[in-house]
Amino acid sequence: MSGLAWKINRMKAMEGREILHRAGQALSLKVEEMRLDRGWQPLPSVQVGSKSFLFPSNSQAGKIWQGLFSPDSPGLADLIAGRIDFFGHEHIAVGVPVQWHRDPLTGVTAPAGEFGKTLNYRDDSQVGNVKFLWELGRHQHLVPLAAAYAVTGESIYQDTVVAQIEEWIKLNNFDRGIHWCTALEVALRLLSWAVIHSFFFLQGQSKGLFSVVRDPEALGKSIYQHAWFVAHFLSRYSSANNHLIGELTGLWTGCQVFDLGRDGDKWGDQAQRELEIQAKKQVFPDGVNREQATYYHLWVLDYFLFASLVGLRTGKPFSTDFEKTIDSMAAFLDAITPRGGVPPQIGDADDGFVTRFGARWPEKPYEDVLNAVTVTKRKQCPQDISQKSFWYGIMAGVDCQSLPKEERNIKIGYPTAFPEGGYAVLGDDLVHLIFDAGSLGYPSIAAHGHADALSFCLAVNGEWWLVDPGTYAYHSQLEWRNYFRGTAAHNTLTVDGLDQSQIGGTFLWIRHAPVQFEGCGITENDGQWAAGSHRGYAKIAHRRKIEYRKRAEEIHILDTVTGKGHHELTQNFHFAPDIEIKCNIDNVWVATKGQSLFTLAITGQAGWSWQVLRGSTEPISGWYSPNLGKKQATVTLRGIWSGELPVNVKTVIRIHHVS
């Protein structure tokens, strides 16, 4: 898409006030760049120092940690040697000293001297894969080294952290280059420094980072400039999604941990007030994040939990309503997670973190955050406590050794509805089905939503069979980006090969399908149902009702498509990796999964033409993305029908036990 077309589409998603705001912001940035060229920088009015620390000074955290965890020497050694895990890619070499402006995946070096706020980070030829560069610039890989120093006192960990922070400050002048592009990246780096600062204090450095750097004044100036940048460049209007929450969390944390004078007090108070507001604006009353993306739901939950713990540690607690939002968000994730599994990949996922404590890339992000909620709010200690839940517990003043050890086993009732968010969960001990009749996303651009209305995901015995294929691409590879978030990549029905909602850019939808969640309940013979509808195809309406007939162990999908004229309908069923499918008799397709004790038999509507696609590129179908930037071939069962509307379509999925 050309730059002009994108700008036109972007403006379509704005109200008049936002257009005026962005015009004023563009002028302000021009002035700021001119001032910067003349030598201006924001400077603190006081000498920046410590205000508070995230871990209690009398904490026995080191001894407790060593009783629970084994030191990850190979992983820590890799970090010291400049080998870091990114998005499931292991041991990516970033150099010693670190090459902060070189994309470790493509080798492209981003310009270091350009004005960061107008740098075109979407141009792969100029910056490479910006996600990898930004992940490096968040300094989250330094947190596990600081934690290792806190619990062992070994100088190699301290020296590595200090050297990288000092080198970063030296090579990344304020407002210049790829690491000064967006407030979120700056905020997450500030948050990392606050955690590192607190770890150094825990080891006995009375002034934290200021005790060990060669130039405390330079460090303090950079910390102040991070906070200044975030406070003056917050995401607003149609960009005010999870980015704003992350920016506010980083600003709140930085202003509570570091003494930035009156500016810091003002910015910190502002951040806390706005976090309270955003918790109400961005989360439905039933606990569903309005962005309609499971991973961003997790990330926002982690932001809120971390911000809450910072408030608890520093004597500025959040409101009861804020804490209830954390509880309700955790309850939603519990509800959509099958026993022993992980939630479905609904919407976008960029695999980012608020902070990470282990040397390896976190393998169980959902479990880590939900266990942290269990430790800090429910005062229970899961058997498989992670480093995140351990350190969050220390922040909350919880001694994990004194808590009862028990398996985290959240039971939900079936069916369970989240009517504002637009989800229903059907099932029992065997079946776990998520029905999605939620809106496209939040706010007007719905940046991380997918055109997945009336889609569903199905797990059997705790394992996913029918899945949402994931995300794969963000700024790069537009064709793949559009496929993975398009309607055809989801277990729903398409009309004339079109998406329910209209794409306007890589993170922009310019038309949202109107969706209605119609409810869920109990049927005769102890069955369950859920239903919803949407009008994403102009004068054509699609209504879907899903019934789970427990006694027969059958799922009935009843689609009604109303309208006029001749149209082509397509059904897609996307299977998890390691599933094979073949046609039996009478239009029955049987799916098998490795050593599973179950099979699925799918019977489609008579008169439809069915085919199996695996790793297809024309058309793109039969793909699954386990992580950002990774994809693998899998199975998609596609059915096509052409005829006059209206029409009713029935699909039956039978669960069979292998004898």
Side-chain angles (χ1 to χ4, degrees):
M1 180 174 294
S2 70
L4 177 60
W6 179 86
K7 289 177 182 177
I8 292 172
N9 286 337
R10 189 66 180 83
M11 289 184 67
K12 289 179 180 179
M14 300 182 192
E15 297 179 350
R17 288 184 301 172
E18 180 175 2
I19 294 174
L20 291 175
H21 165 77
R22 294 195 180 278
Q25 186 181 60
L27 178 60
S28 175
L29 293 184
K30 287 288 186 183
V31 173
E32 184 175 323
E33 185 177 8
M34 290 172 58
R35 295 179 66 195
L36 200 67
D37 289 340
R38 295 171 184 169
W40 169 84
Q41 287 187 0
L43 298 173
S45 59
V46 299
Q47 183 172 347
V48 175
S50 301
K51 187 175 182 180
S52 57
F53 296 95
L54 298 179
F55 310 112
S57 59
N58 60 349
S59 171
Q60 296 297 308
K63 293 181 180 179
I64 300 172
W65 185 93
Q66 291 175 326
L68 291 171
F69 303 103
S70 298
D72 185 11
S73 298
L76 293 170
D78 281 334
L79 293 179
I80 293 169
R83 296 186 294 268
I84 307 175
D85 295 353
F86 292 103
F87 309 116
H89 299 260
E90 296 183 344
H91 315 314
I92 301 295
V94 298
V96 179
V98 174
Q99 298 182 54
W100 295 108
H101 305 108
R102 179 183 176 274
D103 168 23
L105 197 66
T106 65
V108 175
T109 298
E114 289 191 17
F115 184 53
K117 291 174 181 174
T118 56
L119 179 62
N120 185 10
Y121 57 79
R122 296 179 178 87
D123 184 352
D124 294 357
S125 65
Q126 186 177 12
V127 303
N129 188 322
V130 73
K131 286 294 298 178
F132 282 78
L133 265 179
W134 280 348
E135 191 68 30
L136 178 64
R138 291 174 181 179
H139 288 193
Q140 293 178 345
H141 66 282
L142 298 179
V143 172
L145 290 170
Y149 172 65
V151 299
T152 67
E154 294 184 19
S155 60
I156 184 63
Y157 303 128
Q158 171 196 291
D159 295 344
T160 302
V161 172
V162 171
Q164 290 198 25
I165 291 177
E166 289 183 330
E167 186 73 2
W168 187 93
I169 292 173
K170 177 182 176 182
L171 297 177
N172 291 272
N173 294 327
F174 170 75
D175 253 2
R176 299 290 188 185
I178 195 67
H179 297 299
W180 291 99
C181 278
T182 75
L184 179 61
E185 302 308 316
V186 176
L188 286 171
R189 187 163 52 250
L190 179 60
L191 190 150
S192 293
W193 288 4
V195 176
I196 292 166
H197 180 67
S198 299
F199 272 134
F200 279 28
F201 170 75
L202 197 60
Q203 179 50 235
Q205 302 289 359
S206 61
K207 296 181 181 179
L209 270 172
F210 297 103
S211 298
V212 292
V213 295
R214 289 173 293 181
D215 189 346
E217 185 176 346
L219 173 64
K221 183 177 78 169
S222 187
I223 290 169
Y224 176 85
Q225 290 175 344
H226 276 67
W228 189 96
F229 185 106
V230 177
H232 289 80
F233 202 47
L234 291 165
S235 297
R236 296 299 189 192
Y237 294 100
S238 59
S239 297
N241 55 7
N242 69 85
H243 280 229
L244 177 58
I245 292 173
E247 292 156 11
L248 294 170
T249 302
L251 183 62
W252 160 248
T253 303
C255 291
Q256 293 306 110
V257 170
F258 300 111
D259 182 2
L260 307 178
R262 291 183 179 179
D263 286 341
D265 294 340
K266 177 182 67 176
W267 297 333
D269 290 344
Q270 174 194 351
Q272 186 175 34
R273 286 194 307 270
E274 290 204 43
L275 280 168
E276 293 271 7
I277 293 170
Q278 293 305 315
K280 294 180 179 179
K281 291 182 68 174
Q282 296 200 36
V283 181
F284 286 109
D286 57 15
V288 178
N289 179 253
R290 291 178 185 266
E291 287 198 81
Q292 300 288 346
T294 311
Y295 197 91
Y296 283 98
H297 180 108
L298 177 77
W299 209 358
V300 168
L301 169 59
D302 199 3
Y303 282 135
F304 286 158
L305 179 60
F306 191 88
S308 170
L309 295 174
V310 172
L312 184 66
R313 278 288 307 130
T314 59
K316 291 189 175 182
F318 283 77
S319 69
T320 301
D321 285 345
F322 188 87
E323 300 298 332
K324 287 181 178 178
T325 296
I326 295 174
D327 292 335
S328 65
M329 293 185 75
F332 172 70
L333 282 183
D334 280 326
I336 65 173
T337 303
R339 172 175 48 85
V342 296
Q345 297 188 119
I346 298 169
D348 272 351
D350 77 350
D351 303 331
F353 305 95
V354 175
T355 189
R356 55 186 277 201
F357 296 96
R360 298 299 187 194
W361 189 260
E363 295 180 350
K364 300 179 179 179
Y366 290 96
E367 187 175 304
D368 286 350
V369 174
L370 290 173
N371 279 348
V373 173
T374 298
V375 169
T376 59
K377 295 181 70 64
R378 298 171 185 153
K379 302 300 187 290
Q380 297 173 354
C381 186
Q383 294 284 356
D384 54 351
I385 185 171
S386 66
Q387 293 208 44
K388 171 166 282 194
S389 49
F390 172 80
W391 289 114
Y392 278 21
I394 296 297
M395 289 175 66
V398 175
D399 179 354
C400 296
Q401 288 188 324
S402 68
L403 296 179
K405 292 282 187 9
E406 55 187 60
E407 291 293 337
R408 182 179 163 275
N409 185 18
I410 307 298
K411 294 183 178 180
I412 68 165
Y414 294 98
T416 295
F418 298 87
E420 293 94 352
Y423 294 89
V425 185
L426 310 182
D428 52 24
D429 289 342
L430 175 65
V431 168
H432 191 83
L433 185 149
I434 312 299
F435 177 63
D436 178 1
S439 57
L440 178 64
Y442 174 91
S444 61
I445 62 173
H448 296 299
H450 288 186
D452 55 7
L454 311 189
S455 181
F456 73 99
C457 297
L458 174 66
V460 177
N461 199 34
E463 295 184 323
W464 288 112
W465 285 69
L466 287 165
V467 298
D468 184 313
T471 302
Y472 178 57
Y474 262 7
H475 298 286
S476 306
Q477 300 176 280
L478 181 61
E479 186 178 18
W480 288 100
R481 168 68 173 153
N482 289 345
Y483 166 73
F484 274 95
R485 61 182 175 147
T487 304
H490 298 86
N491 301 318
T492 187
L493 183 150
T494 66
V495 177
D496 297 331
L498 300 174
D499 291 324
Q500 302 158 345
S501 298
Q502 184 179 351
I503 293 172
T506 50
F507 292 96
L508 172 63
W509 296 87
I510 55 177
R511 181 180 55 77
H512 298 201
V515 189
Q516 181 179 359
F517 177 76
E518 297 180 5
C520 74
I522 303 295
T523 66
E524 294 181 0
N525 300 320
D526 200 27
Q528 302 165 19
W529 67 273
S533 59
H534 77 85
R535 285 188 167 273
Y537 298 111
K539 297 180 180 180
I540 298 173
H542 175 205
R543 182 180 188 271
R544 168 169 282 185
K545 182 178 182 181
I546 293 185
E547 296 180 359
Y548 172 44
R549 302 184 179 183
K550 294 176 62 175
R551 295 182 182 179
E553 294 183 344
E554 293 180 352
I555 297 160
H556 290 231
I557 305 165
L558 310 171
D559 291 299
T560 302
V561 184
T562 57
K564 296 181 180 180
H566 190 279
H567 295 276
E568 181 179 273
L569 306 184
T570 304
Q571 290 252 43
N572 289 288
F573 295 96
H574 300 277
F575 288 90
D578 303 324
I579 287 181
E580 299 294 333
I581 188 167
K582 62 181 180 179
C583 187
N584 198 339
I585 56 173
D586 299 329
N587 204 30
V588 177
W589 296 82
V590 178
T592 58
K593 183 179 176 71
Q595 301 300 314
S596 175
L597 299 177
F598 301 91
T599 64
L600 297 187
I602 300 178
T603 304
Q605 180 74 40
W608 283 58
S609 174
W610 294 89
Q611 64 180 144
V612 174
L613 299 170
R614 178 191 289 272
S616 171
T617 56
E618 292 184 5
I620 296 179
S621 190
W623 295 95
Y624 180 80
S625 174
N627 298 99
L628 193 68
K630 284 187 173 183
K631 69 179 188 298
Q632 62 191 92
T634 185
V635 167
T636 294
L637 176 63
R638 170 173 291 184
I640 300 176
W641 172 88
S642 181
E644 298 291 322
L645 299 183
V647 66
N648 294 314
V649 185
K650 181 177 181 179
T651 309
V652 177
I653 301 175
R654 294 180 175 88
I655 301 166
H656 294 289
H657 298 251
V658 178
S659 58

